[in-house]
Amino acid sequence: MSLRRHLDLLAGGRFLRVVNYHNTPASTAGAVLRELEQLRERFDPVGLADLDVFFATGRWPTDRPGLLPVFYEGYRNSAQVAAPACDATGFVGWFPVCTAFVQCPPAEQEVFARSHLVDLVPEELGSPRLALSPDEVGELAQRHVVLAHTASHAGIADVWTDEDLDREVHEPGRVLREWTGQAAPAFVWLHGTPWGGHPRHDAAVVDAGYRYQFSNTMLQRLR
């Protein structure tokens, strides 16, 4: 597609904006809500079915650009802050969950976070629980989209063996299906590595049943 065609599509609102959030503690609840309210004035919500229809038919469901608010890691405040803000504004929230963070005993979650590049904020230190519970993950999936962000917040460079691939790629899909009753539709590596440059890892993502992969610059429909 030519640059001119890309510019015409952008000017006509034919694009998808992804806004990434990580930790959304209680002190940010008002700011998150206001930001989503402002975005809702210009963007329409996008659910999983909308993406499936677009990639199957090429038809976009609305006349305005779509927006995906994405809340990473699986913090408990995803259920307490992020999801209520999405509900209030009509957005579908997208929640990439590190399943091992959720599975970690609450008393060990701070240590897990510090050793796996999961950002913490002072106001939450000492909280009884930092991560979502499996039940909360299941509740999120009833209204929003829950996807896999590896098990332990792993980057592609840290996953070498077949055991690594099973733990970080396949196992999160199995666990999320158990918690939510549905297949996890998408996968995200730490650091946002795109699909298409690492054949062995790419094959594992497809074999695990994921349909989409999020990266720093793309949302890819997998073959």
Side-chain angles (χ1 to χ4, degrees):
M1 187 182 295
S2 69
L3 176 60
R4 180 69 263 165
R5 178 60 174 154
H6 274 291
L7 294 176
D8 289 343
L9 289 171
L10 288 172
R14 297 298 190 267
F15 64 91
L16 178 67
R17 181 174 180 181
V18 178
V19 179
N20 291 331
Y21 299 85
H22 288 80
N23 204 345
T24 56
S27 64
T28 68
V32 172
L33 177 59
R34 287 191 297 274
E35 183 165 281
L36 291 182
E37 287 174 339
Q38 292 169 357
L39 290 167
R40 191 66 179 87
E41 295 173 1
R42 295 177 288 144
F43 296 90
D44 284 335
V46 177
L48 180 60
D50 298 319
L51 283 186
D52 288 340
V53 168
F54 172 73
F55 280 102
T57 68
R59 295 193 300 271
W60 194 245
T62 73
D63 293 330
R64 302 201 306 171
L67 183 130
L68 274 63
V70 183
F71 301 89
Y72 278 88
E73 269 80 274
Y75 295 101
R76 187 182 186 187
N77 57 51
S78 289
Q80 299 170 321
V81 174
C86 290
D87 293 336
T89 54
F91 279 117
V92 176
W94 292 66
F95 294 89
V97 172
C98 299
T99 51
F101 184 34
V102 173
Q103 291 172 311
C104 186
E108 300 173 16
Q109 287 175 358
E110 182 177 339
V111 173
F112 180 96
R114 292 186 183 280
S115 58
H116 291 87
L117 300 178
V118 176
D119 292 335
L120 300 175
V121 294
E123 73 182 77
E124 294 191 317
L125 300 183
S127 298
R129 180 160 51 88
L130 296 171
L132 292 164
S133 69
D135 286 345
E136 287 169 335
V137 174
E139 291 168 5
L140 280 177
Q142 294 176 21
R143 308 187 307 280
H144 303 287
V145 183
V146 173
L147 48 146
H149 191 24
T150 75
S152 57
H153 210 211
I156 201 168
D158 300 317
V159 176
W160 292 92
T161 67
D162 289 342
E163 291 77 11
D164 292 340
L165 285 168
D166 185 67
R167 182 187 66 250
E168 301 295 342
V169 179
H170 288 83
E171 180 65 11
R174 294 192 290 265
V175 170
L176 289 176
R177 180 183 285 275
E178 178 183 338
W179 293 345
T180 68
Q182 53 192 274
F187 183 83
V188 196
W189 289 105
L190 173 64
H191 307 311
T193 302
W195 193 89
H198 303 82
R200 186 160 165 261
H201 296 77
D202 294 340
V205 172
V206 173
D207 290 344
Y210 304 110
R211 307 202 302 275
Y212 297 95
Q213 184 161 320
F214 283 72
S215 74
N216 286 335
T217 59
M218 289 179 283
L219 169 59
Q220 297 168 284
R221 181 69 165 92
L222 307 183
R223 296 188 297 274

